[in-house]
């Protein structure tokens, strides 16, 4: 069966510090991968999605970047965090075939607090 | 409608009550409609994905319907139980970018025993 691992679960970082959140998927090949953020009082916002190694689509201009160095690894990064980067970050995967008529499967999330 | 809108924002029901929520989405160029359940301290869990007008799907006591012409979906819970307490999210996609889901803010359901 497929599993998704996301870490760390919580993170407290000072403004201006770098960020690296990692997500890995097991039990499937060539999945679509997604990074979402939920800011306080807001809905889920798609940040990045990837359809393959090295292929990243960015949905909103921001202080963050994403990379997919391996088929089942998706990394969210920042060189300098801003206060506005605080929020709850979720990684998700879905089957490639059919794209968005396949359900997305989510990791447990990372609660990021910027001080 | 340009965004996905859900109503009500929150709902409190008694155990055994049946309830339903609404999700409104852009009907133009529609591709798929998703429902998820998000329990506190857990990750969102997929309930249904629907694509065809008139689709009805059922999972235990939970069911959903889809009207793509008018852009709405209903989620029904029959005989609510305390374990149904969660936020129910819907999300839609369009054929222009069918990998991107647009999410509603959710309906928060609390079932009192």
């Amino acid at each position: 069966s497929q599993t998704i691992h996301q870490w760390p679960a919580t993170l407290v970082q000072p403004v201006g510090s770098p960020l690296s959140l990692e997500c890995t998927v097991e039990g499937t090949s060539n999945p679509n991968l997604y990074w979402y953020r939920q800011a306080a009082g807001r809905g889920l916002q798609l940040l990045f999605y990837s359809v393959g190694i090295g292929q990243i689509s960015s949905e909103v201009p921001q202080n963050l970047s994403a990379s997919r160095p391996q088929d089942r690894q998706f990394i969210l990064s920042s060189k300098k965090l801003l206060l506005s980067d605080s929020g709850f970050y979720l990684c998700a995967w879905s089957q490639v075939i059919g794209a968005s008529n396949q359900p997305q499967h989510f990791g447990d999330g990372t609660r990021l607090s910027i001080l | 409608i340009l965004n996905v809108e859900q109503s009500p924002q929150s709902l409190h029901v008694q155990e055994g009550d049946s309830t339903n929520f609404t999700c409104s989405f852009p009907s133009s160029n529609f591709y798929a409609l998703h429902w998820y359940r998000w329990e506190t301290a857990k990750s969102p869990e997929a309930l249904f994905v629907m694509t065809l007008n008139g689709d009805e799907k059922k999972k235990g006591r939970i069911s959903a319907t889809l009207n793509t012409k008018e852009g709405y979906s209903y989620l029904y819970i029959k005989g609510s139980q305390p374990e149904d307490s969660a936020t129910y999210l819907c999300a839609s996609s369009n054929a222009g970018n069918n990998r991107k889901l647009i999410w509603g803010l959710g309906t928060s359901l609390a079932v009192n025993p």
Side-chain angles (χ1 to χ4, degrees):
Chain A
S1 63
Q2 302 91 357
T3 55
I4 178 168
H5 303 280
Q6 184 183 341
W7 67 94
T10 59
L11 193 57
V12 180
Q13 293 284 97
V15 169
S17 64
L19 173 75
S20 181
L21 302 180
E22 189 162 344
C23 173
T24 59
V25 180
E26 295 176 1
T28 188
S29 297
N30 195 30
N32 287 329
L33 295 171
Y34 310 85
W35 276 112
Y36 287 94
R37 175 173 61 203
Q38 184 186 41
R42 309 278 297 273
L44 283 176
Q45 180 185 38
L46 180 64
L47 302 175
F48 301 96
Y49 69 86
S50 171
V51 300
I53 296 174
Q55 300 179 63
I56 309 293
S57 295
S58 173
E59 287 300 310
V60 293
Q62 60 201 308
N63 184 43
L64 302 168
S65 62
S67 62
R68 185 171 178 174
Q70 299 180 47
D71 181 43
R72 290 168 288 177
Q73 183 185 29
F74 205 22
I75 298 171
L76 184 69
S77 304
S78 174
K79 292 181 180 178
K80 280 188 176 183
L81 286 167
L82 306 173
L83 283 174
S84 57
D85 292 324
S86 292
F88 188 64
Y89 289 81
L90 280 165
C91 180
W93 73 272
S94 70
Q95 298 283 8
V96 171
I97 297 174
S100 70
N101 65 2
Q102 296 294 318
Q104 295 187 8
H105 307 277
F106 288 84
D108 290 334
T110 296
R111 177 77 57 193
L112 176 64
S113 300
I114 310 299
L115 303 179
Chain B
I1 296 176
L2 298 179
N3 297 316
V4 174
E5 297 172 359
Q6 292 186 247
S7 62
Q9 184 177 9
S10 64
L11 195 56
H12 292 255
V13 301
Q14 289 298 123
E15 183 176 354
D17 288 350
S18 293
T19 187
N20 64 84
F21 328 131
T22 303
C23 173
S24 301
F25 56 87
S27 55
S28 172
N29 220 16
F30 169 82
Y31 190 80
L33 190 284
H34 294 225
W35 280 102
Y36 291 80
R37 174 170 58 204
W38 194 354
E39 295 179 62
T40 302
K42 294 186 179 181
S43 51
E45 173 195 0
L47 291 173
F48 307 113
V49 180
M50 296 183 286
T51 57
L52 299 176
N53 185 45
D55 257 355
E56 290 188 31
K57 295 214 171 178
K58 187 175 181 181
K59 188 175 183 179
R61 293 178 290 98
I62 304 177
S63 60
T65 61
L66 179 66
N67 183 321
T68 63
K69 296 186 186 305
E70 296 181 41
Y72 64 83
S73 174
Y74 294 133
L75 187 79
Y76 302 90
I77 301 179
K78 185 177 178 182
S80 302
Q81 299 297 308
E83 58 265 32
D84 296 328
S85 298
T87 296
Y88 290 82
L89 297 170
C90 75
S92 76
S93 62
N94 67 58
N97 183 351
N98 63 21
R99 293 180 181 87
K100 178 179 177 179
L101 292 178
I102 306 298
W103 294 80
L105 295 179
T107 293
S108 176
L109 173 67
V111 182
N112 301 316

